[in-house]
Amino acid sequence: MIDVAPAPELTNPIDWMDTATCKGKSDLFFAPFAERPEARVRREAKARTICHTCPVMMKCRTHARETRELGFWGGESEGERAAAGFPPTTPIIGRRQVAAQRAARALEAS
Ligand code: SF4
């Protein structure tokens, strides 16, 4: 059983998103509907490569963990975040819609 850390209050703004290397590439960072496992592996490998060139990777990872994001953030998949004790809080039903809304809000705010 994995110990799940409580989601802390957000203390940092998201101004780091201004320098995100993934701008305009959100298709690589959020799973399309009914994505096959092999396609997910390929998509996440491409996303990981981009993250590892990103100057704000650790800020992004911390943000995703604190806010229990869906999708690939800060060089981590949802599964990797969950294994680290930060699983998403969104039920499986409706995840795609929630992920799209969160991504849109993050882009608007950046
Ligand atoms: S670490 Fe990855 S997901 Fe986060 S801003 Fe950079 S490129 Fe985007």
Side-chain angles (χ1 to χ4, degrees):
M1 183 166 202
I2 297 171
D3 282 336
V4 177
E9 291 295 317
L10 271 182
T11 55
N12 60 328
I14 54 172
D15 56 355
W16 53 267
M17 288 184 179
D18 291 344
T19 52
T21 306
C22 59
K23 271 190 172 178
K25 300 173 183 147
S26 59
D27 285 357
L28 282 179
F29 292 82
F30 297 97
F33 179 69
E35 181 180 48
R36 292 178 179 223
E38 301 83 5
R40 174 181 289 261
V41 169
R42 287 193 298 272
R43 178 181 57 77
E44 290 187 344
K46 290 176 186 172
R48 191 180 312 277
T49 299
I50 292 170
C51 289
H52 282 274
T53 65
C54 182
V56 293
M57 186 171 81
M58 293 315 294
K59 287 183 179 178
C60 177
R61 181 178 296 182
T62 299
H63 168 80
R65 287 180 171 193
E66 289 178 345
T67 57
R68 308 302 177 97
E69 288 288 356
L70 302 172
F72 200 96
W73 292 71
E76 277 187 338
S77 66
E78 284 177 37
E80 290 166 335
R81 269 195 307 284
F86 303 92
T89 53
T90 308
I92 290 175
I93 296 172
R95 286 173 137 217
R96 183 170 185 248
Q97 188 175 16
V98 170
Q101 289 169 350
R102 285 183 178 178
R105 278 200 303 269
L107 285 173
E108 284 175 15
S110 66

